[in-house]
């Protein structure tokens, strides 16, 4: 119990520290102008510096107006001001009719408009923007030049197409003033406008923010996924207790929601996932998660929950879920306020139930109540944040992770007591107790290592999914699910390897160099890539290199070589060629990898080695990844004192040359 209280104090302290202000108070835009001449964008100078800033405040607003001409002219008579961040829904605009009469219009989410903001800087510098997926399509102009776009803007539903990807954009400017135009159109969602903060900072700082956000989402989603599997295994071992099954389903739903919210990692994994499906997944995780969680509470405290209230919440949310599945996103997003009200009422009812259980001295009700209050506060925070009432951030997944600790403690105590009470079946008790202790040790290892090693949950995913595929008594459909989990875990493991290696390489990683035959390095890399070679039916052509020795960190250099080879395979054509040649050059070695793939336009030759860059092509979207493979290869080779270059043309394959 002391450990639980200590954990609660630590978590609360972390949130309080995270919410505490640092640096100077960020300025706000006033009448379309944001003065940042006194703002310091460099966060590396120590405490008191400023860093990234939200472009919040009063923006110029032009309802149903898009700028025209190269100078992006807008009618001065229609200029208005609107607060950012917030949806434009409910904003009142004034218009003058042909007769001179001034009329007021309360606008809805459907329509189009232009936002404009002038930013004053003390000097020109390399900056970056983090632009959320503003509903539902936009074009962003900087100093009269288009900088980026999401989807296709238009003045009608037929002429527009929505998008839902967060953008990180580099700004190369030497001007002291930035004039930002954002043209937004929306005919696919009930809410629209700049209802999330746009962030401005040094480009390197903005990219670090992306890595941090993605790592956090992967970390939390990994915990949720593992704990979902863990509770499913508890239910499998003891079918008479249904509570772990409901909690496992709830963890999986929030796991999916974590990937679709925040940094929208699911849209990074599946770039072609359209807005309607993203909204459907987002809404269903709440509409289905709420009744599942109430069923979980009912399985623990059946005497305290009114069955009629439970059925009412279940039926109404199932009806809403049906509407979410059937109706277009423009229509079902209009019932968000209803979902939020039901969710808040369910939270309050849950707290009431737990206080009632606590007064009735139900086992574990005190632990459950503490964890649920913490999770409830994070859920209410998310509701207020998504409604633009507060500007904090999304904390529900983190709140659920904290709740999991309390829940795991509660389930462990319930299991222990259940087996202790069955003393007359001594042999059964002993066997079951050993199994429970084994599972608890596994769980403790999860909870101890997850804070240090993000990859630990993925190892367990591999284990469970492989067990499913090898179990003879399971139906073939279940085994297929196991294979899909195993395959997806492999992709996620690869992405996490890349993200973690980026951090290691950028913190002065020490190399463990030793002589090694190039042929051995190549053999190991090709063995790992054999599934990709078989899929494309490619047989590598390898020149004789048995006498070539390289002094390197074998693990890291093998990783770099494998990334280059994989690039030449996955972007190759079926039955294509892959030629690998290594030869001595002076005191070094030159390695050439030539493929017959789609090729790379000359304008991207330098960019493909940048962090998170991917060439915009249909095949690039079909191939999963986050754009770190060639960046890592270049970084590793540079640590070895080497280099990598590319020679390629579209449709004529590519040649990567490594010198070390």
């Amino acid at each position: 119990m002391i450990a639980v209280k200590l954990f609660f104090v630590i978590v609360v302290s972390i949130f309080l520290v995270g919410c505490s202000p640092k640096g100077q108070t960020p300025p706000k835009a006033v009448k379309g102008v944001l003065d940042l001449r006194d703002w310091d964008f460099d966060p590396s100078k120590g405490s008191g510096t400023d860093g990234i800033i939200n472009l919040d405040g009063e923006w110029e607003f032009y309802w149903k107006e898009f700028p025209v001409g190269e100078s992006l002219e807008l009618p001065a008579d229609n200029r208005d001001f609107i607060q950012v961040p917030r949806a434009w829904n409910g904003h009142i605009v004034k218009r003058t009719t042909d007769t001179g009469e001034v009329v007021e219009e309360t606008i809805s989410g459907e329509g189009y408009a232009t936002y404009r903001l002038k930013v004053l800087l003390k000097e020109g510098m390399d900056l970056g923007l983090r632009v959320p997926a503003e509903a539902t399509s936009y074009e962003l102009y900087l100093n009269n030049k288009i900088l980026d776009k999401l989807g296709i803007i238009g003045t009608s539903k037929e002429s527009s197409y929505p998008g839902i990807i967060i953008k990180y954009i580099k700004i190369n400017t030497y001007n002291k003033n930035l004039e930002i135009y954002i043209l937004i159109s929306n005919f696919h969602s009930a809410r629209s406008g700049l209802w999330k903060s746009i962030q401005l900072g040094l480009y390197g700082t903005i990219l670090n923010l992306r890595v941090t956000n993605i790592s956090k989402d992967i970390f939390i989603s990994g915990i949720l996924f593992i704990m979902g599997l863990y509770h499913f295994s508890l239910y499998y071992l003891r079918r008479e207790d249904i509570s772990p099954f409901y909690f496992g389903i709830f963890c999986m739903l929030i796991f999916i929601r974590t990937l679709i919210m925040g940094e929208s990692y699911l849209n990074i994994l599946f770039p072609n996932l359209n807005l309607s499906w993203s909204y459907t997944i987002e809404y269903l995780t709440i509409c289905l998660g709420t009744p599942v969680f109430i069923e979980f509470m009912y399985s623990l405290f059946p005497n305290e929950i009114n069955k009629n209230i439970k059925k009412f919440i279940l039926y109404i949310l199932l009806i809403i879920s049906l509407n979410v599945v059937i109706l277009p996103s423009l229509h079902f997003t209009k019932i968000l306020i209803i979902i939020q009200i039901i969710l808040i009422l369910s939270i309050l009812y849950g707290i009431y139930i737990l206080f009632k259980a606590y007064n009735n001295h139900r086992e574990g009700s005190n632990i459950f109540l503490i964890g649920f209050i913490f999770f409830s506060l994070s859920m209410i925070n998310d509701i207020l944040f998504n409604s633009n009432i507060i500007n904090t951030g999304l904390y529900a997944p983190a709140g659920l992770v904290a709740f999991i600790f309390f829940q795991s403690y509660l389930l462990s105590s319930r299991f222990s007591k259940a087996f202790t009470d069955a003393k007359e079946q001594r042999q059964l008790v002993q066997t079951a107790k050993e199994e429970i202790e084994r599972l608890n040790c596994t769980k403790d290892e999860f909870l101890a290592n997850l804070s240090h090693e993000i990859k630990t949950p993925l190892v367990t995913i591999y284990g469970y999914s492989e067990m499913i595929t090898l179990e003879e008594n399971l139906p073939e459909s279940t085994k297929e699910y196991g294979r899909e989990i195993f395959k997806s875990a492999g992709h996620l493991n690869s992405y996490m390897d890349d993200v973690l290696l980026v951090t290691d390489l950028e913190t002065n990683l020490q190399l463990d160099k030793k002589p090694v035959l190039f042929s051995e390095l190549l053999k190991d890399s090709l063995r790992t890539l054999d599934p990709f070679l078989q899929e494309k039916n490619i047989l590598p052509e390898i020149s004789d290199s048995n006498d070539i020795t390289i002094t390197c960190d074998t693990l890291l250099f093998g990783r770099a070589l494998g990334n280059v080879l994989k690039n030449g395979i996955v972007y190759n054509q079926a039955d294509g060629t892959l030629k690998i040649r290594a030869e001595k050059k002076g005191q070094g070695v030159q390695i050439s990898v030539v493929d017959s793939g789609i090729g790379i336009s000359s304008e991207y030759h330098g960019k493909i080695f940048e962090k998170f860059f991917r060439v915009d092509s249909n095949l690039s979207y079909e191939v999963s990844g986050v754009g770190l493979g060639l960046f890592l290869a270049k970084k590793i080779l540079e640590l070895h004192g080497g280099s990598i270059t590319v020679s390629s043309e579209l449709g004529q394959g590519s040649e990567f040359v490594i010198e070390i």
Side-chain angles (χ1 to χ4, degrees):
M1 189 62 187
I2 295 176
V4 174
K5 292 180 180 179
L6 179 60
F7 172 78
F8 181 72
V9 171
I10 292 174
V11 172
V12 172
S13 300
I14 291 173
F15 270 82
L16 291 176
V17 171
C19 296
S20 62
K22 62 180 180 178
Q24 68 184 77
T25 302
K28 302 288 186 181
V30 178
K31 298 299 182 183
V33 178
L34 179 58
D35 190 347
L36 298 181
R37 286 174 292 186
D38 294 329
W39 185 261
D40 190 348
F41 285 99
D42 189 356
S44 65
K45 296 180 180 179
S47 59
T49 56
D50 307 314
I52 295 175
I53 186 171
N54 295 336
L55 302 184
D56 295 347
E58 283 184 315
W59 287 51
E60 291 185 18
F61 183 70
Y62 300 83
W63 176 242
K64 289 190 176 179
E65 297 285 355
F66 283 156
V68 296
E70 294 184 358
S71 59
L72 302 181
E73 297 177 359
L74 288 164
D77 293 342
N78 291 338
R79 184 177 68 168
D80 193 5
F81 296 97
I82 191 171
Q83 284 292 326
V84 173
R86 58 153 286 184
W88 70 39
N89 300 58
H91 183 72
I92 299 175
V93 296
K94 296 181 180 180
R95 292 211 179 250
T96 304
T97 64
D98 296 336
T99 61
E101 180 184 1
V102 177
V103 296
E104 293 184 347
E105 176 188 358
T106 302
I107 62 178
S108 64
E110 297 179 63
Y112 58 96
T114 297
Y115 288 76
R116 181 166 66 180
L117 178 69
K118 187 174 183 180
V119 181
L120 307 181
L121 303 173
K122 59 183 176 182
E123 59 182 349
M125 61 189 76
D126 290 336
L127 298 174
L129 285 173
R130 180 187 184 274
V131 184
E134 309 291 2
T136 55
S137 56
Y138 68 79
E139 288 184 0
L140 190 153
Y141 290 79
L142 182 68
N143 295 341
N144 295 343
K145 294 182 180 180
I146 188 166
L147 189 64
D148 193 60
K149 65 179 181 178
L150 177 69
I152 301 174
I153 64 170
T155 58
S156 65
K157 183 176 182 179
E158 292 72 24
S159 62
S160 62
Y161 185 80
I164 191 167
I165 297 178
I166 298 173
K167 298 294 190 74
Y168 289 79
I169 308 167
K170 186 175 183 179
I171 302 174
N172 295 103
T173 178
Y174 296 97
N175 297 326
K176 293 185 178 181
N177 297 331
L178 302 179
E179 193 164 13
I180 301 173
Y181 289 77
I182 301 182
L183 289 57
I184 296 181
S185 67
N186 171 58
F187 299 93
H188 300 83
S189 175
R191 287 199 308 165
S192 189
L194 296 180
W195 49 284
K196 293 182 181 179
S197 294
I198 297 176
Q199 295 176 290
L200 176 69
L202 295 178
Y203 185 58
T205 309
I206 288 290
L207 286 185
N208 288 337
L209 175 65
R210 184 177 194 264
V211 173
T212 300
N213 289 343
I214 291 177
S215 300
K216 180 188 68 176
D217 289 348
I218 294 176
F219 175 75
I220 293 177
S221 61
I223 294 176
L224 295 173
F225 188 84
I226 291 302
M227 295 310 297
L229 291 180
Y230 170 70
H231 284 85
F232 284 147
S233 68
L234 291 182
Y235 171 69
Y236 179 78
L237 293 172
R238 191 166 181 263
R239 301 290 183 88
E240 58 268 25
D241 186 1
I242 194 68
S243 59
F245 177 74
Y246 285 125
F247 194 72
I249 295 177
F250 185 72
C251 286
M252 290 300 183
L253 289 172
I254 305 301
F255 157 73
I256 297 173
R257 182 173 178 81
T258 304
L259 294 181
I260 203 71
M261 301 295 289
E263 208 64 19
S264 300
Y265 191 67
L266 196 63
N267 291 98
I268 298 176
L269 294 177
F270 305 101
N272 295 324
L273 184 67
N274 61 40
L275 177 135
S276 180
W277 274 104
S278 296
Y279 277 164
T280 299
I281 295 172
E282 176 187 343
Y283 278 59
L284 284 180
T285 53
I286 289 297
C287 294
L288 298 179
T290 302
V292 167
F293 192 83
I294 291 178
E295 289 289 349
F296 165 63
M297 291 183 61
Y298 180 74
S299 66
L300 294 176
F301 310 109
N303 297 325
E304 280 70 33
I305 294 182
N306 186 295
K307 290 185 178 180
N308 292 327
I309 295 178
K310 179 174 73 73
K311 289 180 180 179
F312 173 77
I313 295 175
L314 173 63
Y315 292 150
I316 192 171
L317 286 176
L318 287 179
I319 293 173
I320 292 176
S321 299
L322 186 62
N323 281 274
V324 170
V325 173
I326 295 175
L327 297 177
S329 59
L330 177 63
H331 297 293
F332 72 70
T333 52
K334 294 179 180 179
I335 60 177
L336 175 62
I337 184 64
I338 298 177
I339 298 174
Q340 291 175 337
I341 291 174
I342 295 174
L343 180 58
I344 291 176
L345 292 176
S346 299
I347 290 173
L348 296 176
Y349 181 64
I351 294 175
Y352 164 75
I353 291 302
L354 291 174
F355 271 111
K356 188 175 178 181
Y358 178 75
N359 290 331
N360 293 337
H361 304 288
R362 302 299 182 192
E363 179 191 357
S365 58
N366 54 342
I367 300 297
F368 199 103
L369 177 60
I370 295 174
F372 185 73
I373 290 177
F374 194 84
F375 179 49
S376 299
L377 292 175
S378 66
M379 288 291 294
I380 294 173
N381 169 85
D382 282 17
I383 293 173
L384 298 177
F385 174 75
N386 286 322
S387 302
N388 296 120
I389 298 175
I390 58 177
N391 190 22
T392 53
L394 298 173
Y395 291 112
L400 179 59
V401 170
F403 175 70
I404 284 174
F405 283 86
F406 294 96
Q407 167 59 19
S408 299
Y409 178 86
L410 175 60
L411 283 180
S412 298
S413 63
R414 287 170 63 91
F415 267 72
S416 177
K417 186 177 184 303
F419 286 112
T420 301
D421 291 342
K423 292 181 179 180
E424 66 278 6
Q425 300 178 358
R426 190 170 296 273
Q427 185 62 38
L428 178 62
V429 169
Q430 184 63 30
T431 303
K433 185 177 180 181
E434 290 175 355
E435 183 64 18
I436 292 300
E437 289 175 351
R438 185 186 67 80
L439 288 175
N440 280 334
C441 288
T442 303
K443 178 205 66 178
D444 292 339
E445 291 176 0
F446 289 153
L447 301 181
N449 294 331
L450 277 173
S451 59
H452 301 288
E453 300 181 20
I454 299 176
K455 289 187 60 180
T456 300
L458 290 178
V459 176
T460 307
I461 294 176
Y462 277 125
Y464 277 113
S465 57
E466 188 173 22
M467 285 172 58
I468 293 174
T469 61
L470 298 176
E471 177 61 49
E472 296 181 356
N473 297 327
L474 292 177
E476 185 59 33
S477 60
T478 303
K479 294 182 180 180
E480 182 62 28
Y481 294 146
R483 286 189 284 269
E484 288 298 319
I485 294 173
F486 187 83
K487 181 179 178 181
S488 299
H491 289 307
L492 187 57
N493 179 63
S494 177
Y495 303 149
M496 293 175 66
D497 275 345
D498 289 346
V499 172
L500 292 173
L501 185 55
V502 168
T503 303
D504 291 338
L505 292 177
E506 293 179 346
T507 54
N508 299 319
L509 183 68
Q510 297 298 317
L511 301 182
D512 181 18
K513 292 185 178 182
K514 59 183 178 181
V516 62
L517 286 172
F518 172 74
S519 58
E520 294 298 323
L521 286 172
L522 180 60
K523 185 187 300 182
D524 291 340
S525 296
L526 291 177
R527 185 185 302 112
T528 304
L529 297 171
D530 188 61
F532 299 99
L533 290 168
Q534 292 185 17
E535 182 179 351
K536 289 294 182 74
N537 194 27
I538 295 175
L539 182 63
E541 301 176 21
I542 305 172
S543 300
D544 184 20
S545 58
N546 291 331
D547 60 336
I548 294 179
T549 300
I550 298 176
T551 300
C552 64
D553 184 309
T554 56
L555 184 62
L556 286 178
F557 189 84
R559 182 74 172 274
L561 179 61
N563 285 353
V564 177
L565 292 173
K566 182 179 179 181
N567 188 82
I569 299 171
V570 298
Y571 291 104
N572 210 327
Q573 56 186 332
D575 302 315
T577 60
L578 182 69
K579 300 178 181 179
I580 306 166
R581 183 181 70 255
E583 57 185 358
K584 295 180 180 179
K585 187 175 182 182
Q587 295 182 348
V589 175
Q590 184 182 80
I591 303 166
S592 172
V593 179
V594 183
D595 65 66
S596 59
I598 62 174
I600 306 167
S601 175
S602 58
E603 63 182 301
Y604 298 126
H605 285 185
K607 295 182 178 180
I608 60 173
F609 297 105
E610 294 178 2
K611 194 187 303 181
F612 298 113
F613 179 81
R614 302 189 73 203
V615 177
D616 187 9
S617 69
N618 292 333
L619 184 55
S620 294
Y621 287 122
E622 292 174 5
V623 178
S624 61
V626 292
L628 286 175
L630 292 178
F631 167 79
L632 289 172
K634 183 173 185 292
K635 192 75 174 178
I636 292 170
L637 292 169
E638 288 175 349
L639 287 175
H640 284 81
S643 64
I644 180 171
T645 57
V646 63
S647 175
S648 178
E649 293 183 16
L650 279 177
Q652 298 184 22
S654 305
E655 179 181 12
F656 288 86
V657 177
I658 297 172
E659 293 187 356
I660 182 170

